[in-house]
Amino acid sequence: MDGPRSDMGRWGGNPLQPPTTPSPEPQPDRDRDHRDHRSRRGGARSFWARCCGCCSCRNREDDDWGPEPSGSRGSRNRGSRNRRPESRGSGVNAAGDGTIREGMLVVTGVDLLSSRSDQNRREHHTDEFEYDELIVRRGQPFQLVLFLNRPYESSDRIALELLIGNNPEVGKGTHVIIPVDKGGSGGWKAHVTKASGQNLNLRVHTSPSAIIGKFQFTVRTRCEAGEFQLPFDPQNEIYILFNPWCPEDIVYVDHEDWRQEYVLNESGRIYYGTEAQIGERTWNYGQFDHGVLDACLYILDRRGMPYGGRGDPVSVSRVISAMVNSLDDNGVLIGNWSGDYSRGTNPSAWVGSVEILLSYLRTGYSVPYGQCWVFAGVTTTVLRCLGLATRTVTNFNSAHDTDTSLTMDIYFDENMKPLEHLNHDSVWNFHVWNDCWMKRPDLPSGFDGWQVVDATPQETSSGIFCCGPCSVESIKNGLVYMKYDTPFIFAEVNSDKVYWQRQEDGSFKIVYVEEKAIGTLIVTKAISSNMREDITHIYKHPEGSEAERKAVETAAAHGSKPNVYATRDSAEDVAMQVEAQDAVTGQDLTVSVVLTNRGSSQRTVKLHLYLSVTYYTGVTGSIFKESKKEVALAPGASDQVTMPVAYKEYRPHLVDQGAMLLNVSGHVKESGQVLAKQHTFRVRTPDLSLTLLGAAVVGQECEVQIIFKNPLPITLTSVVFRLEGSGLQRPKVLNVGDIGGNETVTLRQTFVPVRPGPRQLIASLDSPQLSQVHGVIQVDVAPASGGRFFSEAGGDSRSGESIPMASRGGA
């Protein structure tokens, strides 16, 4: 798992393997592009016949404009964009010999008004991108200036060209021709807003269904003296993104506060743990950091996704769900739930997506390691970066249905002890995925809005490890025949937990159905705050309601066990509730079971408690403690059974997330009622304390202090801190060595803010003995007093640096 897979991507005809020598981004074969482009045009209608019918009668013999000008798409120039650009290389005339004839209209340069402070970037909400190229959102006009060798005349003909991919074609939308002041097609058009001397100001309208990606840009002119084409220049490349601000774009979002949160917010909260003990961590999405946009487009390239399909958010989001994991396509992240992360990074140690995406772009190799919240965090980054409104969603008690029964089947022996070798279905303590917003023209009406996309590789979809986009509305109503992957996601949020007990003849009988055990709480970060928002109601009708039961039974009817509910029988007058004491790793704790007799006769309950550790994915370890009790309950009475658990008892067994599973089963002697409950709880981890030492100003060094106290009586070895924050600090790894038992340590780090405004600086701590330790501080950055400041580095980005402690103290 430490090297790239050789599997071909979903579109096997165009696999891209990691470069032998890593480069900042993939370099297409430009010479081949030019050859292909010329060969397509040579025997067909002339350029002007294709773009402008009024010009097609002129110079019919000039069907070929001559050789394409060369230029590397991959190179970058970060110089000032607020100057009059100079043309690189000679223009191309009709004869193809590079001669500029007197009277020809020559474009000597272009200003795309692409700096972050220019009108284009501000109006298109792309001014936070740490790029100097023009970045626009489709379906919305932008301005540019052409510099000419002479004043523009009414008889002159000008056309703008945008090209993307190895084989640009007009019919596929990968070769766009926009005649100036001559109308347009498909929403593309351009017109003159001002002609002043040798400067020509244009307003360009892009199509609301345009392909997203990085386009080459050129200008062609034609007049009586001849034809001219501006050479391609890497400085003039244009990024086009989806546009949630455009009503004609199918990703349109009609709420400005939603757009601010789900498209423009660079940090967020991801929730984990258990429903009763919800943990939260801040995640740096960093979608505007330098290099991230190139990484997102590179992901589509690595999948071999046809450029012609890149205007469809349904297809793009499905490809991203496949490519964020590494299974079957050399994707971004290698999943690992083994507990051994020695050959990579513990998933709990990541604090954001930037380091992961830039590593993938730089090397072409899948990054070790990810688990569901990492996959989801990276997916949020990619989709927001490309312009899709996206949020990170956590589902507590998330089912993983392996047999398409749409129920969670749990098997027990005659004494109600779990038969783990039969329990293939699992219930994750929590599972994290994504919602993204779009219309669904490929579905019947009524299924627009939030769509589930899940990049965590659990089950294949059409033979590929991807999931979604799936309409949340179809999930809510159990319409599991709707694409994509509705049965699997429905089971995650609204299946029933069915308990099967082995009988004396070896057969199994349903002894209990727990209807409110799956998808008990679905949450996301609230808009404009760090509060938690409960969105369970958009995924399912109220538990137990007629509409909810209808949805479950509608879905189950399409599963592999359509008659599962026909065998139910129960008379229930004893109720059971399970609780676990809140505790920090290193402390003793107590679990308890409360039994209540709601009947009018005495009840005697034989109770069994089995305790084991569990991964958050529902995979359990062996039972390390058990207890058996018999409880007599008078009518209307309650009684509590407790089981103390010492740190020394659970310490040798503890795994990631510090979670434990209590299986409780009981049998009521008088009525034959079966009691069954699985209760997951966790021991918490401490937080890091971050303090800002002084004011934060763009371009000026600032210092942060991090304090951590080891809660364990044992030494933490090979401790690694991570520090990251968009606009503040590029991802930084700090090796701090060992931290003694119950020891308190302090370290200080400096950073240089590069963008003003409210920012989040996020830190994590990881060691083999303790993980899932995080901290965050808001940093309000003041603008630079001397004017604009922008640095690509985004602060010191050294990796693997060894850091001495500023101070150490005892408990």
Side-chain angles (χ1 to χ4, degrees):
M1 295 203 344
D2 57 341
R5 295 168 61 97
S6 60
D7 310 32
M8 296 179 70
R10 175 173 179 169
W11 291 278
N14 187 20
L16 289 173
Q17 296 301 323
T20 304
T21 303
S23 59
E25 58 181 315
Q27 305 291 326
D29 182 350
R30 185 61 50 214
D31 292 337
R32 184 185 65 185
D33 295 353
H34 298 158
R35 292 192 299 271
D36 292 344
H37 195 185
R38 291 186 62 194
S39 65
R40 282 193 310 278
R41 294 182 305 172
R45 294 186 300 155
S46 71
F47 168 82
W48 290 100
R50 285 179 285 124
C51 88
C52 182
C54 67
C55 303
S56 61
C57 60
R58 300 191 181 195
N59 297 336
R60 290 184 183 274
E61 70 277 15
D62 296 332
D63 282 344
D64 198 324
W65 285 68
E68 294 282 1
S70 61
S72 169
R73 292 183 68 196
S75 61
R76 296 185 176 90
N77 187 308
R78 300 291 171 200
S80 171
R81 304 304 300 272
N82 298 319
R83 59 179 174 82
R84 178 182 173 122
E86 298 297 325
S87 176
R88 293 189 176 187
S90 300
V92 179
N93 69 356
D97 59 9
T99 303
I100 304 298
R101 300 192 185 100
E102 184 176 354
M104 285 177 59
L105 183 61
V106 176
V107 180
T108 60
V110 179
D111 188 351
L112 295 175
L113 305 175
S114 60
S115 75
R116 292 177 56 207
S117 59
D118 274 330
Q119 176 184 1
N120 284 335
R121 296 282 296 273
R122 287 185 284 106
E123 289 184 348
H124 285 254
H125 306 92
T126 60
D127 50 314
E128 287 290 328
F129 278 98
E130 294 176 357
Y131 280 74
D132 287 329
E133 290 87 353
L134 179 60
I135 305 173
V136 297
R137 299 187 187 276
R138 67 186 192 177
Q140 185 174 337
F142 64 92
Q143 318 291 328
L144 63 85
V145 182
L146 299 182
F147 301 108
L148 309 174
N149 67 328
R150 62 169 175 78
Y152 173 68
E153 299 174 359
S154 59
S155 61
D156 292 326
R157 295 292 176 259
I158 299 177
L160 312 178
E161 272 193 276
L162 294 168
L163 302 97
I164 190 170
N166 292 340
N167 300 291
E169 296 181 28
V170 172
K172 293 183 177 179
T174 52
H175 181 185
V176 180
I177 303 171
I178 315 169
V180 175
D181 281 338
K182 294 295 178 183
S185 60
W188 295 94
K189 58 183 177 179
H191 63 270
V192 177
T193 58
K194 181 181 178 182
S196 176
Q198 295 175 206
N199 293 357
L200 194 66
N201 292 60
L202 302 180
R203 183 177 178 87
V204 183
H205 294 256
T206 60
S207 168
S209 58
I211 290 168
I212 63 160
K214 184 165 65 171
F215 287 77
Q216 287 187 316
F217 174 79
T218 186
V219 184
R220 293 175 182 257
T221 71
R222 183 168 191 157
C223 63
E224 291 294 340
E227 299 168 350
F228 169 88
Q229 179 186 352
L230 179 73
F232 289 121
D233 185 337
Q235 286 196 75
N236 293 336
E237 289 180 318
I238 299 174
Y239 293 88
I240 298 180
L241 308 178
F242 292 116
N243 193 354
W245 282 265
C246 175
E248 289 75 40
D249 195 327
I250 65 172
V251 305
Y252 174 64
V253 178
D254 189 22
H255 305 282
E256 178 58 25
D257 56 343
W258 285 32
R259 296 189 291 248
Q260 292 293 322
E261 179 68 47
Y262 300 136
V263 182
L264 299 182
N265 196 347
E266 294 177 84
S267 64
R269 295 290 176 95
I270 299 179
Y271 302 96
Y272 64 95
T274 67
E275 180 193 1
Q277 298 169 300
I278 297 175
E280 61 183 55
R281 56 180 299 161
T282 303
W283 190 266
N284 182 44
Y285 296 124
Q287 66 266 33
F288 303 131
D289 274 30
H290 178 69
V292 170
L293 177 53
D294 291 305
C296 296
L297 297 176
Y298 176 56
I299 290 171
L300 301 180
D301 291 341
R302 280 293 296 272
R303 188 66 172 178
M305 184 182 187
Y307 283 91
R310 299 189 189 190
D312 176 18
V314 175
S315 298
V316 169
S317 61
R318 187 156 173 80
V319 169
I320 295 304
S321 82
M323 281 299 297
V324 167
N325 70 74
S326 67
L327 289 178
D328 62 44
D329 51 24
N330 302 317
V332 178
L333 274 162
I334 300 170
N336 185 349
W337 287 264
S338 70
D340 178 8
Y341 313 115
S342 57
R343 302 180 72 178
T345 297
N346 185 333
S348 296
W350 298 114
V351 293
S353 309
V354 176
E355 183 180 355
I356 294 167
L357 288 167
L358 294 186
S359 174
Y360 186 64
L361 173 66
R362 183 176 64 252
T363 69
Y365 287 86
S366 302
V367 179
Y369 293 108
Q371 291 179 4
C372 69
W373 66 92
V374 188
F375 291 114
V378 171
T379 300
T380 295
T381 298
V382 174
L383 294 180
R384 285 187 185 180
C385 184
L386 296 179
L388 284 168
T390 306
R391 61 189 184 186
T392 308
V393 173
T394 301
N395 176 37
F396 288 98
N397 295 314
S398 184
H400 182 173
D401 179 21
T402 59
D403 59 3
T404 67
S405 66
L406 301 178
T407 57
M408 291 301 103
D409 300 296
I410 305 170
Y411 296 89
F412 298 84
D413 67 10
E414 294 82 352
N415 297 315
M416 288 300 289
K417 186 173 183 178
L419 294 170
E420 293 300 346
H421 67 285
L422 296 179
N423 292 335
H424 302 302
D425 288 349
S426 60
V427 178
W428 296 31
N429 301 346
F430 67 95
H431 181 44
V432 188
W433 61 64
N434 302 92
D435 283 347
C436 57
W437 184 274
M438 68 183 75
K439 292 180 180 178
R440 289 299 299 271
D442 58 324
L443 297 179
S445 62
F447 297 96
D448 298 339
W450 289 118
Q451 313 290 322
V452 173
V453 174
D454 189 351
T456 301
Q458 297 183 83
E459 300 291 329
T460 58
S461 171
S462 301
I464 298 167
F465 280 99
C466 62
C467 184
C470 171
S471 165
V472 171
E473 190 67 22
S474 68
I475 298 166
K476 183 174 184 176
N477 292 292
L479 305 179
V480 295
Y481 46 83
M482 290 288 182
K483 62 180 181 182
Y484 291 96
D485 309 305
T486 312
F488 183 79
I489 302 170
F490 178 88
E492 288 183 301
V493 303
N494 207 9
S495 54
D496 289 340
K497 190 182 283 189
V498 180
Y499 294 80
W500 300 76
Q501 184 180 28
R502 187 168 62 196
Q503 306 299 298
E504 291 183 359
D505 62 359
S507 65
F508 283 89
K509 176 186 176 183
I510 295 177
V511 293
Y512 184 63
V513 176
E514 196 174 359
E515 296 180 347
K516 301 179 182 179
I518 303 300
T520 50
L521 180 65
I522 306 173
V523 297
T524 189
K525 176 188 174 300
I527 293 173
S528 305
S529 82
N530 286 323
M531 300 297 289
R532 187 173 67 240
E533 180 183 357
D534 184 347
I535 58 171
T536 312
H537 63 282
I538 77 165
Y539 275 87
K540 54 201 298 187
H541 297 285
E543 283 284 3
S545 68
E546 183 178 344
E548 188 266 343
R549 285 292 91 196
K550 181 180 178 182
V552 172
E553 293 179 15
T554 298
H558 291 83
S560 62
K561 298 176 183 176
N563 299 316
V564 67
Y565 293 100
T567 58
R568 293 177 57 184
D569 54 80
S570 64
E572 302 174 356
D573 54 11
V574 175
M576 178 170 66
Q577 183 176 351
V578 184
E579 298 175 350
Q581 176 188 353
D582 195 33
V584 175
T585 301
Q587 296 179 343
D588 298 342
L589 57 91
T590 301
V591 295
S592 59
V593 180
V594 178
L595 298 170
T596 302
N597 181 3
R598 297 181 298 195
S600 56
S601 304
Q602 178 167 316
R603 292 289 182 255
T604 305
V605 182
K606 288 187 174 181
L607 204 62
H608 295 234
L609 284 69
Y610 302 99
L611 186 61
S612 58
V613 297
T614 178
Y615 289 94
Y616 84 94
T617 57
V619 176
T620 58
S622 57
I623 295 168
F624 68 87
K625 187 164 187 174
E626 58 183 280
S627 176
K628 297 181 181 180
K629 294 284 179 65
E630 184 170 303
V631 181
L633 296 171
S638 295
D639 199 0
Q640 183 179 53
V641 175
T642 61
M643 184 168 72
V645 185
Y647 170 63
K648 65 180 181 180
E649 289 181 291
Y650 69 75
R651 174 191 160 188
H653 307 280
L654 211 57
V655 294
D656 285 355
Q657 307 285 331
M660 286 174 262
L661 175 67
L662 181 66
N663 268 293
V664 183
S665 60
H667 180 264
V668 180
K669 185 182 298 184
E670 293 82 0
S671 66
Q673 177 187 348
V674 173
L675 300 171
K677 181 77 172 179
Q678 291 184 314
H679 181 75
T680 305
F681 61 97
R682 68 184 182 96
V683 286
R684 293 186 291 106
T685 50
D687 293 326
L688 297 176
S689 173
L690 276 66
T691 306
L692 198 65
L693 306 177
V697 180
V698 170
Q700 297 183 20
E701 191 173 85
C702 187
E703 190 172 28
V704 65
Q705 177 177 274
I706 305 172
I707 299 177
F708 166 72
K709 180 179 179 180
N710 179 6
L712 303 181
I714 60 174
T715 297
L716 306 181
T717 61
S718 304
V719 176
V720 175
F721 281 83
R722 272 182 159 78
L723 193 64
E724 180 177 330
S726 286
L728 298 174
Q729 171 67 61
R730 298 286 270 186
K732 189 173 188 177
V733 180
L734 312 171
N735 298 308
V736 300
D738 298 345
I739 299 177
N742 300 122
E743 183 181 5
T744 299
V745 297
T746 303
L747 62 90
R748 293 183 177 183
Q749 285 295 300
T750 59
F751 60 94
V752 179
V754 298
R755 286 187 275 147
R759 306 283 168 190
Q760 302 280 326
L761 186 65
I762 311 165
S764 75
L765 174 147
D766 181 59
S767 78
Q769 295 79 24
L770 184 67
S771 61
Q772 200 82 353
V773 179
H774 313 103
V776 62
I777 187 171
Q778 177 160 316
V779 180
D780 295 312
V781 183
S785 56
R788 179 176 178 271
F789 175 87
F790 170 65
S791 166
E792 242 177 62
D796 189 352
S797 59
R798 288 171 290 174
S799 180
E801 179 183 358
S802 295
I803 301 296
M805 296 295 178
S807 63
R808 292 178 181 265

